[in-house]
Amino acid sequence: MHDGRWTQDGPKAVWKSEGQGNVRRQQVVTVQSRQYLNLPEEVQEHLFRGDTFSEMLPVGPDSIRGRSPRNLRIAYIEDTLLELANEKPDRIRLAPAAFDPADRTTVSRARTAPVAVPVDTA
């Protein structure tokens, strides 16, 4: 997985600081229960701890199993997922650089393992 907003800190990929040109988003996203209940249990356990989210009422048409939609900060989701990915270096390769399709090393690895490229639409 490639992201130009990351930098290397020892064996881990971490978010660049504001001084390095990365301004983190403070927006909140609403995630419907139809989506978050389909996340792997490990991801749900990490994302939904304590006061990291708020639930919305009423339950809507995209709510399943009587569970409410949840509001989370986008930066918190990004931090949590990056933390989880850093814990799995044997399964997820984090590249703190923008994806370059001309880079033959990246392209050849992509043929054997999927490469996810986050898109920043902000």
Side-chain angles (χ1 to χ4, degrees):
M1 179 180 293
H2 291 254
D3 198 315
R5 298 172 295 161
W6 298 335
T7 188
Q8 200 71 39
D9 184 15
K12 294 185 174 194
V14 298
W15 291 102
K16 288 180 179 177
S17 68
E18 195 168 330
Q20 294 169 305
N22 185 33
V23 179
R24 301 295 304 280
R25 295 174 280 186
Q26 297 303 311
Q27 294 103 327
V28 173
V29 65
T30 300
V31 183
Q32 300 292 333
S33 59
R34 178 178 309 283
Q35 281 73 43
Y36 71 75
L37 290 173
N38 284 311
L39 292 171
E41 196 65 37
E42 178 183 20
V43 173
Q44 289 184 52
E45 289 171 3
H46 279 78
L47 281 176
F48 304 117
R49 298 185 234 190
D51 63 352
T52 60
F53 66 95
S54 62
E55 292 195 330
M56 293 180 54
L57 293 175
V59 173
D62 282 324
S63 300
I64 60 172
R65 295 185 233 159
R67 303 294 289 274
S68 297
R70 293 180 172 177
N71 292 325
L72 297 111
R73 281 187 46 241
I74 292 171
Y76 170 75
I77 295 170
E78 292 173 333
D79 291 345
T80 302
L81 295 178
L82 182 58
E83 174 188 316
L84 280 169
N86 271 308
E87 293 173 5
K88 302 178 183 312
D90 55 324
R91 297 178 59 197
I92 302 172
R93 188 176 79 76
L94 299 173
F99 178 71
D100 179 5
D103 178 353
R104 290 289 169 206
T105 347
T106 301
V107 173
S108 65
R109 279 194 294 266
R111 290 190 182 119
T112 58
V115 175
V117 181
V119 176
D120 184 5
T121 59

